[in-house]
Every structure is written in C-alpha cells, then in structure tokens.
Amino acid sequence: MAAVRAQSAAESAGIERLEITQPDDWHLHVRDGAALQSVVPFSASVFHRAVIMPNLRPPVTTALGAAEYRERVLAAVPEARRGEDGFKPLMTLYLTDDTTPEEVQKAKDGGIVVAFKLYPAGATTNSAAGVTDLFGRCFPAIQHMAHVGMPLLLHGEVVDPSVDMFDREKEFIHRVLSPLLERLPALRVVLEHVTTADAVEFVLKAPEGRVAATVTPQHLLWNRNALFTGGIRPHHFCLPVLKRETHRQAIVAAVTGGSTRFFLGTDSAPHERATKEAPCGCAGIFSAHAALPLYARAFEQAGALDKLEAFASFNGPDFYRLPRNSRRITLVRRPWTVPASYPYSDGGSLIPMLAGEQLEWQVVPLDA
C-alpha cells in the first residue's frame, strides 16, 4: 500500500488508502421536519460533531429553542450512529437586533450552544430576521459574548444594494469586521465560508486565536465559471457566490499551506429541486452526501493530501477549545458515480453536488 503522505499531485496518484482522525463539520444546515430526516444521516455517517445552523423558520434564537432543536436532530440520527461515539450536534443561536446579554449568558450556562450566528438581514436563506443594527441594538449582546468567550460566527457579506455581488465579502471585512474587532479585542469570530483572497489575507493577519474561517468544498473546487458552464447552473449557486479563479487559488493555498486558522465547514444546504430550478432560485449547495471525498479531491489536486487531516480534524476543535476526536476514519480510492438525485422531505428530490459525476474517493463506513 502506498504511503499516505503526499508531496505532489503525481505522488498522490499512488495513494489508495487514507486514514485520518474522524473529522467534524463546523458549518452545517439540516433544516427541520421531514427535510431534517432526509439529510442528517449523511453527515452522521462520517462526522462526529457538526455545528448546526439556526436559520429555520422561525429562527432558533433562544437557549430553550436550541435544546428542542437538538433533540429533533438527534432523533434523525440512525441508530448505529447514536451513543457516546455517535453523532453530536453542536448548537448555535441566531443573532437578532433583540438578542440580550441575558440570553447570551443562558446559552453559555446551558452548555449545548457553542456559538451565535450573525446573518446580515437579507443576506442569504432565511435571514430576514437577521441583524440590522450591529453597533447599536446588537452591541451589548456581542460585548457579552466577548466577556464569556462565546464565539460569533459571521455570514460575511454586506447587503448594501450599491455593492457589487462579487465584492460583498470584501466590503464586509472593511465596513463591519475590522471595526468590530477593534472595538472588542477579546471577541473570537469565525468568518464562515470564505470566498476571496481578501478574506484569506484578513484571517492570516489577525491576532492568534481571535479569527478563524470555515471553507466549503465548492469554494475549493469551483470558480464562478461553474455557474454558467453550458448554461445557467442553479445547483451551483450559493451565497457567498463563487468567485473568480484567483480567489479560489488563494483559498486552496491557505488551507493546504499548513495554517491552523482554516477548517472544514461544508455549509451543506439542502433545497428541494423545484426551489432551485425556479425564476428566483434558492442559494445553497448540498454536499453532505460526499463531503469528505470532495475535500479529498481538492487536497489531492493541490498535492496536499497530507494536510487534509489537520484541516478536517484538528483545526476546528482547537479553535473551539474542544477535544480532538480519538476515532479514526478511512477513505479508499474507489471511483463511484454520485446519484443524480436523492429523496428529500415529503416526496421531493434533492440534487447533490457533482450529481451524475464521478468521485475518486469513498469513506469506509464507520461500522465496517
């Protein structure tokens, strides 16, 4: 069997088996109700923990609501993946203009909420109830997050209609994130699903331990041309939107270059097929069906399979000050074709990332 360490794309072509510490997903959407039942098993089959996004309808804004949502997520986990070594949802709360320091303290004391999530109002799916007054009404709650060590997760885009869609992340860093960190030096933040060289540079230059970033498989593998290849591709549309190739290359260089500030966060976001293939289609790409094989492809293309474990399994828990997982998981080089669709919710269908295309890697089932 070829050695696991990969120094170049040519060398990595000889690797047939890759064993790493079991990873976690630090940014995951699983929806609710029947939709939740459809998608949770995909993530539970691979990851030990996942940070569950709170942008439901209505959003999860209280510690009590998070506890109730957690029970619904756990109920959707297959029996084989329950128990001490099984799948663990890590809950988040949706930050609003009305969030209070008292609610932050309840979340901290309750022990199941690991972070708050900031959605600028109108920035993405189910964000209408998001923040409109960050440095005013929201600020006391964020101050308390800094005080108690509760991380703030950021959908890093401005919603100013005068800002070009492809510049929204860059402008968020300039207008919002930099001033926020200047005013609250103790605040710890995760810039979610980074898409630009600007975001990469900001994260790398930030003080140690204060700023980290999640990275999706689509932003490692695709640039904005993927939205238009052969026509409009609604199942390649996500927010933040895919960017030009120079930005993709900067993200790949960051995650494969050994920095501990970047970690796996799929942002897997299921939407029923008809809501994607619509005059005003939803933003989001479903990748939970093949998350680890997709990341393995990106790291292999960069000749950096030896860097996958730290990105997928170490950097996230280290930032969140949680123990690393002890269990191991194995990928094997065994080409397979991604299904054209999966059943979803009540009779609907879900189009996965790379539907109908071939992937090189498969995950060996944890109970195999």
Side-chain angles (χ1 to χ4, degrees), residues 157-216:
E157 294 190 285
V158 297
V159 292
D160 181 345
S162 70
V163 175
D164 188 280
M165 174 67 69
F166 295 97
D167 294 331
R168 285 167 50 163
E169 183 173 273
K170 178 181 179 180
E171 285 301 307
F172 181 89
I173 293 168
H174 173 68
R175 298 185 188 185
V176 180
L177 184 51
S178 291
L180 180 63
L181 294 178
E182 287 174 7
R183 293 182 64 176
L184 293 175
L187 184 66
R188 298 168 61 240
V189 303
V190 179
L191 189 54
E192 303 271 47
H193 40 51
V194 293
T195 66
T196 60
D198 309 274
V200 167
E201 181 180 17
F202 183 86
V203 172
L204 290 173
K205 289 183 176 180
E208 185 68 33
R210 289 189 60 200
V211 179
T214 57
V215 181
T216 75

Side-chain angles (χ1 to χ4, degrees), residues 276-297:
K276 294 284 289 180
E277 300 173 5
C280 187
C282 292
I285 295 173
F286 180 70
S287 59
H289 66 294
L292 205 52
L294 288 165
Y295 284 110
R297 168 180 281 191

